[in-house]
Amino acid sequence: MSAWTTSWRSVLPHLTVPLPEDRSPETSGGHGIGVNLPMELVRQSVQPREYWQIPEEVLDAYRKFRPTPLWRATGFEEAVGARVPVYVKYEGGNISGSHKLNTALAQAYYYKRAGVRELVTGTGAGQWGTALAAACALFGLRCTVFMVGSSLERKPYRGVLMRMLGAEVLASPTGTTRVSRETRGQGNSLSLAIGEAVEYAAGREGAAFCIGSGETYSILHQSVIGIESIAQLAELDAEVDAVVGCVGAGSNFGGIALPFHAEAAAGGTRPPRLVAAESSSTPKLTRGVYAYDQTDATGTGPLEAMYTIGSSYPIPDSHSAGLRYHGAAKLVSAMRHAGQVDAVAVDQVEALEAGRRFTVREAVLPAPESGHALAAAARLATGGAERGVLVCVSGHGYLDLGAYRQLLDGELSDQAPAPEALLAAVAGLPRVEGART
Amino acid sequence: MSAWTTSWRSVLPHLTVPLPEDRSPETSGGHGIGVNLPMELVRQSVQPREYWQIPEEVLDAYRKFRPTPLWRATGFEEAVGARVPVYVKYEGGNISGSHKLNTALAQAYYYKRAGVRELVTGTGAGQWGTALAAACALFGLRCTVFMVGSSLERKPYRGVLMRMLGAEVLASPTGTTRVSRETRGQGNSLSLAIGEAVEYAAGREGAAFCIGSGETYSILHQSVIGIESIAQLAELDAEVDAVVGCVGAGSNFGGIALPFHAEAAAGGTRPPRLVAAESSSTPKLTRGVYAYDQTDATGTGPLEAMYTIGSSYPIPDSHSAGLRYHGAAKLVSAMRHAGQVDAVAVDQVEALEAGRRFTVREAVLPAPESGHALAAAARLATGGAERGVLVCVSGHGYLDLGAYRQLLDGELSDQAPAPEALLAAVAGLPRVEGART
């Protein structure tokens, strides 16, 4: 149990430049919708304090599934021809099936303490919605989830699981919110679901909108993954020079990777290479621009500095629904811009094949999202890394077996954005100062 | 790690009467199909030795997921109004999603050592097939699974998972085996799938049929569950006077419960009440007869002494497919006959509702089969048990969310056998000496 931690660890004290401030939207049209964050979450987003005490109630919940396992994946190494050891940190063992529960529990706790009685959110693949439903069940809060309709249709059982946990699940676009009527369901499906949740929460007494990924505080809560990993690698007397996580907005990657940056910065040593594995169908970190963009489709939230392919870019369907987000977290984006974070894009065929090999040899079934990280880890372990690779398997794939069936039956293909479509989607976005255009 | 064990523990030294010997079938019709068991499995089935060393290769595999967690389920206690503590032992955390992997690994190891290159089996819900596929992948054996077709249709993802693990999956009845043609797919679907597997294996060089549950050696391999539980309860300074497991053939129940019998017998103390929770649609232990019956539909295997509702009884479809077996293991049956084992029947609505409450309050999603055990545990904890209840959650329910959806939408019902149908199915079976008729 030496990997057990009672603190989260922030990377904010170790940034070389401060995070760019958010901008007000120019297009709010007068019906601005505010999101009231509990003060502690605000503080966690801005204060450059290294350690944050995890509240006792959250620790009690963490004890049900943390520390999570870390092991050397010798079978996977053999399957991919690795030349250095590959270590795996597995976050899929809890009820929500992914790392998202780490921040859902923290957020439910802080919102409840702030007097909120209902949490409302948008979800793509459903991992975040499931995590929030589980956290709300534990803390006695109501929960309403707007889930991307195409994703809910493809993975109906995610919806069932959320309902079992007591949440109300709505297929987005619902047609009942202003934002869903105005966009007529066109455009970016996840940012629309989030937009619907924001609008819905604003109209309900005692309700608050909350979000699973991308926020600086949610990345802080995920730091338990990296903190535990550092201790577990030390126990194994193992050393890695590359740390890999998959990136939707960035909380899984941030969770496993950024504590390594903080640890190295605090100790004056060289950090391992921190590699964000994104989907080639949403290549914000490898093909996007560093600009101010919206986080959702309401057009009313603040504009954040992020690597983005444009919040209006119509992302194609994909099995790695958890990666179908147009932008990277502002913290991850800033560190990418400062050269502290690396990125690679992986397509879903390579990702699912890596997931299949991992399943056969490691007896753990990864989510398609995690397959992206595994594929990136395999690339590094066969060339690039010199001492070892740590990779986070962010979730399990028991609700994604339809994707693996398509892989087995040769029915999978990929849809990377055409260059002109990307250019069009980011054309009007104000670039962050110092960014290449 | 003090719950870690390197031995299995057998209850055979502590039976009050020896197990009735198997009988030759009278209806084999000359095309008898033999099943060649590795010698060690034969020995484990008959020798009254208390401890059996677990082979090092099997221990290596166990280390990936054992010891499994045991905790006090205070949330579930509250939800059901328990008057005594309820402790849960959870076996769903491995790739196969159930306890079946404990014996699949052992069997794959022994068959491989005996020179077998392919294992063939029949599976109902698919948990056993998945476990065997995982074990074969690990030990480098081919794997062929005959899965009950209606179950495969209802749970296609079980089939996908087996295929991912490298197994060939065939929907039974296939129409390509003699037994499936002769029965024209009528009758007991699981014993037909097993019969197809037996016949198929007999016709292939280097192949062997193997079975997941009910055999005395498979119950021995499952004893890791109970052995760990005894140590974990001691660590918690907890005492229980009832131990509950669900019963298909009996390996999960036997695994958690029988080590408590052995421990008490060896120490000269009074064992806790050992309660087998069966499905009310296959009520062999509560409404069956103690008789010699077939274990599969080939009509060529030995007749075993078991509590049975008749191998010819047409079991209705149910979500708890893992409990859809006509008989109880001969070891469990003998102990039931001797009054060492207790039994209750639970219908699927009560079982799934117990599973739902458990999910909400304990943040673990149980398989419907395990829901039967949880419902029985809830009954005991609200009346009957005086110090505490231990219950095994045999598997996870991520591939059974269709069943929970029916529960949430009020579409579930039950089909207990009509008394006259039961009487007809067991009419011709030779009763075990001393059994009530």
Side-chain angles (χ1 to χ4, degrees):
Chain A
M1 287 285 284
S2 72
W4 175 253
T5 176
T6 57
S7 300
W8 293 304
R9 186 168 195 174
S10 176
V11 77
L12 288 181
H14 305 293
L15 296 185
T16 45
V17 287
L19 287 182
E21 282 192 28
D22 298 346
R23 291 189 180 180
S24 300
E26 289 157 15
T27 54
S28 73
H31 44 239
I33 290 171
V35 174
N36 289 316
L37 265 188
M39 269 316 291
E40 190 72 357
L41 295 179
V42 174
R43 278 192 286 267
Q44 292 174 354
S45 300
V46 295
Q47 284 186 11
R49 191 208 291 180
E50 182 118 7
Y51 292 100
W52 295 79
Q53 174 65 35
I54 305 175
E56 201 48 54
E57 291 85 340
V58 177
L59 283 175
D60 276 347
Y62 280 180
R63 278 189 194 97
K64 287 181 193 280
F65 64 100
R66 307 211 68 87
T68 59
L70 179 146
W71 70 95
R72 181 172 169 186
T74 49
F76 183 67
E77 286 171 16
E78 210 177 275
V80 302
R83 291 186 295 196
V84 298
V86 177
Y87 300 91
V88 173
K89 178 74 168 167
Y90 181 55
E91 292 290 313
N94 68 69
I95 181 71
S96 77
S98 83
H99 68 289
K100 293 282 172 91
L101 193 56
N102 295 324
T103 184
L105 290 164
Q107 293 190 40
Y109 167 78
Y110 289 122
Y111 277 102
K112 184 178 183 178
R113 217 183 45 172
V116 163
R117 296 185 303 276
E118 174 180 3
L119 288 175
V120 185
T121 197
T123 192
Q127 280 134 333
W128 166 242
T130 312
L132 192 67
C136 285
L138 200 70
F139 284 105
L141 298 173
R142 282 176 54 103
C143 183
T144 303
V145 178
F146 289 80
M147 180 161 170
V148 172
S150 63
S151 193
L152 185 57
E153 215 166 280
R154 188 180 284 209
K155 304 178 181 185
Y157 292 157
R158 294 256 189 221
V160 175
L161 184 51
M162 288 183 242
R163 288 175 59 203
M164 272 187 76
L165 292 164
E168 185 172 3
V169 181
L170 303 165
S172 169
T174 58
T176 60
T177 58
R178 181 192 58 77
V179 63
S180 70
R181 284 192 305 270
E182 283 183 5
T183 58
R184 293 196 193 84
Q186 297 299 303
N188 182 321
S189 53
L190 177 55
S191 70
L192 176 56
I194 294 172
E196 288 208 85
V198 170
E199 184 185 331
Y200 180 87
R204 282 172 75 88
E205 182 68 26
F209 165 79
C210 73
I211 190 152
S213 196
E215 297 301 318
T216 303
Y217 55 79
S218 65
I219 295 176
L220 174 72
H221 304 153
Q222 297 294 353
S223 68
V224 286
I225 306 173
I227 296 169
E228 288 179 7
S229 296
I230 290 169
Q232 289 167 318
L233 287 173
E235 269 175 50
L236 296 177
D237 210 12
E239 210 190 336
V240 297
D241 57 339
V243 177
V244 188
C246 60
V247 170
S251 77
N252 184 256
F253 168 73
I256 189 148
L258 302 190
F260 282 85
H261 185 89
E263 178 83 358
T269 58
R270 188 190 158 93
R273 205 169 140 197
L274 308 180
V275 182
E278 64 184 7
S279 160
S280 57
S281 69
T282 48
K284 51 252 178 182
L285 289 169
T286 54
R287 295 178 58 198
V289 296
Y290 192 33
Y292 289 94
D293 198 0
Q294 294 170 348
T295 56
D296 67 70
T298 57
T300 61
L303 296 173
E304 298 189 5
M306 61 175 82
Y307 275 88
T308 178
I309 54 172
S311 53
S312 65
Y313 177 76
I315 300 171
D317 261 8
S318 129
H319 287 297
S320 297
L323 308 185
R324 292 180 71 253
Y325 191 62
H326 63 278
K330 63 180 150 187
L331 177 57
V332 171
S333 294
M335 292 182 73
R336 167 83 171 135
H337 188 60
Q340 296 165 322
V341 156
D342 224 338
V344 295
V346 175
D347 68 38
Q348 65 177 352
V349 175
E350 184 184 350
L352 284 164
E353 175 58 20
R356 189 192 65 78
R357 289 177 177 198
F358 190 80
T359 304
V360 173
R361 300 302 303 272
E362 296 298 325
V364 164
L365 175 65
E369 290 85 352
S370 314
H372 288 76
L374 286 168
R379 288 188 202 166
L380 284 160
T382 50
E386 286 172 12
R387 295 195 296 281
V389 179
L390 170 68
V391 56
C392 188
V393 170
S394 56
H396 72 61
Y398 285 103
L399 301 180
D400 304 284
L401 283 163
Y404 283 112
R405 186 199 64 71
Q406 290 197 334
L407 175 77
L408 292 172
D409 294 338
E411 295 172 9
L412 269 192
S413 62
D414 281 283
Q415 263 186 289
E420 56 275 16
L422 271 193
L423 279 176
V426 301
L429 300 177
R431 300 299 196 266
V432 178
E433 207 176 324
R436 288 162 298 141
T437 51
Chain B
M1 288 284 285
S2 71
W4 175 252
T5 176
T6 58
S7 300
W8 293 305
R9 187 169 194 173
S10 175
V11 79
L12 289 181
H14 306 294
L15 297 186
T16 46
V17 286
L19 288 182
E21 281 191 28
D22 298 348
R23 291 191 181 180
S24 299
E26 290 156 17
T27 54
S28 72
H31 44 241
I33 290 170
V35 174
N36 288 317
L37 267 187
M39 268 317 292
E40 190 72 357
L41 294 179
V42 174
R43 277 192 285 268
Q44 292 173 354
S45 300
V46 295
Q47 284 185 9
R49 191 206 292 179
E50 183 119 7
Y51 292 100
W52 295 78
Q53 175 65 35
I54 305 174
E56 202 48 54
E57 291 86 341
V58 177
L59 284 176
D60 277 347
Y62 280 0
R63 278 190 193 95
K64 289 181 192 280
F65 63 101
R66 306 211 69 87
T68 59
L70 179 147
W71 71 95
R72 181 171 170 186
T74 50
F76 183 67
E77 287 171 16
E78 210 176 277
V80 302
R83 292 186 297 196
V84 297
V86 176
Y87 300 91
V88 173
K89 177 74 169 168
Y90 181 54
E91 291 290 313
N94 67 70
I95 180 70
S96 78
S98 83
H99 68 290
K100 294 282 172 91
L101 193 56
N102 296 323
T103 183
L105 290 164
Q107 293 189 39
Y109 167 77
Y110 288 123
Y111 277 102
K112 184 178 183 178
R113 217 183 44 171
V116 163
R117 297 185 303 276
E118 174 180 4
L119 287 175
V120 185
T121 198
T123 191
Q127 281 134 332
W128 166 242
T130 312
L132 192 66
C136 284
L138 201 70
F139 284 105
L141 299 173
R142 283 177 53 104
C143 183
T144 304
V145 179
F146 290 81
M147 181 160 169
V148 172
S150 62
S151 193
L152 186 58
E153 213 166 282
R154 187 180 285 209
K155 303 178 180 183
Y157 293 157
R158 293 257 187 220
V160 175
L161 183 51
M162 288 183 244
R163 288 174 59 202
M164 273 187 75
L165 291 164
E168 185 173 1
V169 182
L170 303 165
S172 170
T174 58
T176 60
T177 58
R178 180 191 59 77
V179 63
S180 70
R181 284 192 305 269
E182 283 183 5
T183 58
R184 292 198 194 84
Q186 298 299 303
N188 182 320
S189 53
L190 177 54
S191 69
L192 177 55
I194 293 172
E196 288 207 84
V198 170
E199 183 185 330
Y200 180 85
R204 283 172 75 89
E205 182 67 25
F209 165 79
C210 73
I211 189 150
S213 195
E215 298 301 318
T216 303
Y217 55 80
S218 66
I219 296 176
L220 174 71
H221 304 153
Q222 297 294 352
S223 67
V224 287
I225 307 173
I227 297 170
E228 287 178 10
S229 297
I230 290 170
Q232 288 167 318
L233 287 173
E235 269 176 48
L236 295 176
D237 211 12
E239 210 188 336
V240 297
D241 56 339
V243 177
V244 189
C246 59
V247 170
S251 77
N252 184 255
F253 168 72
I256 188 147
L258 302 191
F260 283 85
H261 185 87
E263 177 84 357
T269 59
R270 189 190 157 93
R273 205 170 138 197
L274 309 180
V275 182
E278 63 185 6
S279 160
S280 57
S281 68
T282 48
K284 52 253 179 181
L285 288 169
T286 55
R287 294 176 60 196
V289 296
Y290 192 32
Y292 289 94
D293 198 359
Q294 294 170 347
T295 56
D296 68 70
T298 56
T300 62
L303 297 173
E304 299 190 5
M306 61 174 82
Y307 275 89
T308 177
I309 54 171
S311 54
S312 66
Y313 178 75
I315 301 171
D317 261 7
S318 128
H319 286 298
S320 297
L323 308 185
R324 292 180 71 252
Y325 190 62
H326 63 277
K330 62 180 150 187
L331 177 58
V332 171
S333 293
M335 293 182 72
R336 168 79 170 136
H337 188 59
Q340 297 164 322
V341 156
D342 225 338
V344 295
V346 174
D347 68 37
Q348 66 178 351
V349 175
E350 184 183 350
L352 284 164
E353 176 58 20
R356 189 192 65 79
R357 288 178 176 197
F358 190 81
T359 304
V360 173
R361 300 301 302 274
E362 296 299 324
V364 164
L365 175 64
E369 291 84 352
S370 315
H372 287 76
L374 287 168
R379 289 188 201 166
L380 285 161
T382 52
E386 287 173 10
R387 295 195 295 281
V389 179
L390 170 67
V391 56
C392 188
V393 170
S394 55
H396 71 63
Y398 284 104
L399 301 181
D400 305 283
L401 284 163
Y404 283 113
R405 187 200 63 72
Q406 290 198 335
L407 175 78
L408 293 171
D409 293 339
E411 295 172 9
L412 267 193
S413 63
D414 281 283
Q415 263 186 288
E420 56 276 15
L422 271 193
L423 278 176
V426 300
L429 300 178
R431 300 300 197 264
V432 178
E433 209 176 324
R436 287 163 299 140
T437 49

